[in-house]
Amino acid sequence: MRAQFVLSEIWIGLRRNLTMTIAVITTVAISLALFGAGLLINQQVTEMRRTWDSQISLTIYLCTDNSPSAVCEENGAATEADREAIQADLDQMSEVASVEYVTAAEAYADFQQRFSNQEALVEATQEGDIPDNFRVKLATPDDYEAVQSAVEGRPGIDTISNDQGVLDRFFGLLDGLKWAALTVAMVQLVAAALLIGNTIRLSAYSRRRETGIMRLVGASNFYIQLPFLLEGAISGLIGGIFASGFIFATKYFLLDRIQSWFQFNVTLGLGSVFYVIGVSIILGVLLCTIASFLTLRRYLRV
């Protein structure tokens, strides 16, 4: 009988304040969707950093007869002695894990393979546009500055390209997107908490006669508050379920699409998605329940 009474009170509360309940569910869903998207982006960035940090490398481009840079025009093309001296010095550095010399023909073939899905870019690039180079794999990602400064400006070297600089800018963009989503989500969660408090207060006010009778017959605080707490928890649960759809959409229509554009090859598994969904739903239920409890402490005192 008690369980039936609590369930009936929950239904009455949700039905009487239907528009407010819908507003709460919508606000919670949007907040949790943004929060979950931020967590998902954070996990994607972390996985990408872990994968790419192990592949950070320097590419040292050598001067050729066709190099247009002022350095190469002044010093001339790299000689065999220049190449041997550069490779010998790189092999002796503790910061260098491995060194690979790549000819212009090999670099062009590798370029065609890497960008085979971008025909316009491949057609616009001719053999020889990418000069002979050394591909230097680093012992740790933080060693790129030491290696770069050791060889920069030497005879035969045109330019030095390091992956770290490109990755730092790219990950900075993703980090900005993540923090923007989390900041907006936090603002939305605060708004959702305030809206939940108002909804529960209106629900308690509309049922003040029933709760007054329950006080007279000796009902405990917890028994009086339970229907209102469950109303908030149900609203948070429904909002979390709606938010889970948006989180799935973020995974398959945003993160996976970005990976296809940039060839990341670092895909989050379903375990990560379900983890974010679980955290978001639990947060939604706790947020609504705590907001309801704090409101009821003031408006349903026995």
Side-chain angles (χ1 to χ4, degrees), residues 3-296:
Q4 184 178 0
F5 172 77
V6 171
L7 293 175
S8 65
E9 287 295 302
I10 294 172
W11 171 248
I12 291 172
L14 294 175
R15 186 182 60 186
R16 283 184 179 178
N17 302 285
L18 183 60
T19 55
M20 291 291 289
T21 301
I22 293 175
V24 169
I25 291 174
T26 303
T27 306
V28 171
I30 295 173
S31 305
L32 295 179
L34 291 172
F35 180 78
L39 289 182
L40 210 58
I41 293 172
N42 181 58
Q43 289 199 8
Q44 180 71 76
V45 171
T46 301
E47 287 297 321
M48 289 165 56
R49 279 189 181 276
R50 185 181 297 114
T51 300
W52 283 2
D53 277 349
S54 63
Q55 302 175 12
I56 292 294
S57 64
L58 290 178
T59 304
I60 303 172
Y61 294 102
L62 303 180
C63 289
T64 64
D65 294 329
N66 300 324
S67 297
S69 68
V71 174
C72 293
E73 290 179 358
E74 180 180 350
N75 299 329
T79 63
E80 185 66 26
D82 292 334
R83 291 195 291 268
E84 290 177 355
I86 293 170
Q87 180 152 9
D89 289 344
L90 289 172
D91 287 335
Q92 294 175 0
M93 297 184 67
S94 59
E95 295 87 353
V96 174
S98 64
V99 181
E100 179 186 5
Y101 176 69
V102 181
T103 64
E106 293 171 339
Y108 180 67
D110 181 65
F111 173 81
Q112 287 182 309
Q113 181 179 0
R114 286 175 179 267
F115 297 94
S116 58
N117 59 339
Q118 301 183 30
E119 296 182 3
L121 181 60
V122 172
E123 292 176 358
T125 306
Q126 303 296 323
E127 185 173 351
D129 290 345
I130 305 175
D132 297 358
N133 59 82
F134 287 103
R135 293 181 182 174
V136 182
K137 188 172 182 180
L138 304 174
T140 62
D142 297 331
D143 291 335
Y144 75 95
E145 290 184 352
V147 177
Q148 182 172 342
S149 61
V151 298
E152 196 168 24
R154 294 187 52 164
I157 293 179
D158 184 4
T159 58
I160 301 175
S161 172
N162 70 82
D163 297 337
Q164 187 69 43
V166 177
L167 292 180
D168 283 344
R169 289 192 294 270
F170 180 70
F171 284 126
L173 176 63
L174 291 183
D175 285 339
L177 177 62
K178 174 191 68 178
W179 287 114
L182 289 177
T183 300
V184 174
M186 291 304 169
V187 174
Q188 289 281 349
L189 286 172
V190 172
L194 295 175
L195 186 58
I196 292 163
N198 287 331
T199 302
I200 295 301
R201 184 176 64 176
L202 289 174
S203 180
Y205 181 79
S206 66
R207 284 183 278 173
R208 62 190 183 280
R209 182 177 178 181
E210 291 89 336
T211 55
I213 295 173
M214 294 174 67
R215 290 193 189 99
L216 293 176
V217 298
S220 64
N221 278 352
F222 177 75
Y223 189 67
I224 295 174
Q225 295 175 359
L226 183 59
F228 301 101
L229 294 176
L230 291 178
E231 285 178 30
I234 290 172
S235 298
L237 177 62
I238 296 174
I241 292 173
F242 281 122
S244 64
F246 181 84
I247 294 172
F248 268 113
T250 301
K251 165 68 170 64
Y252 290 105
F253 295 106
L254 177 62
L255 297 182
D256 287 356
R257 181 166 295 184
I258 291 176
Q259 289 183 46
S260 66
W261 289 343
F262 293 96
Q263 300 178 339
F264 290 159
N265 297 323
V266 184
T267 304
L268 289 178
L270 285 177
S272 299
V273 179
F274 284 123
Y275 168 77
V276 171
I277 288 175
V279 170
S280 300
I281 291 177
I282 292 172
L283 176 62
V285 173
L286 289 177
L287 173 71
C288 295
T289 304
I290 293 172
S292 301
F293 174 75
L294 294 177
T295 303
L296 292 171

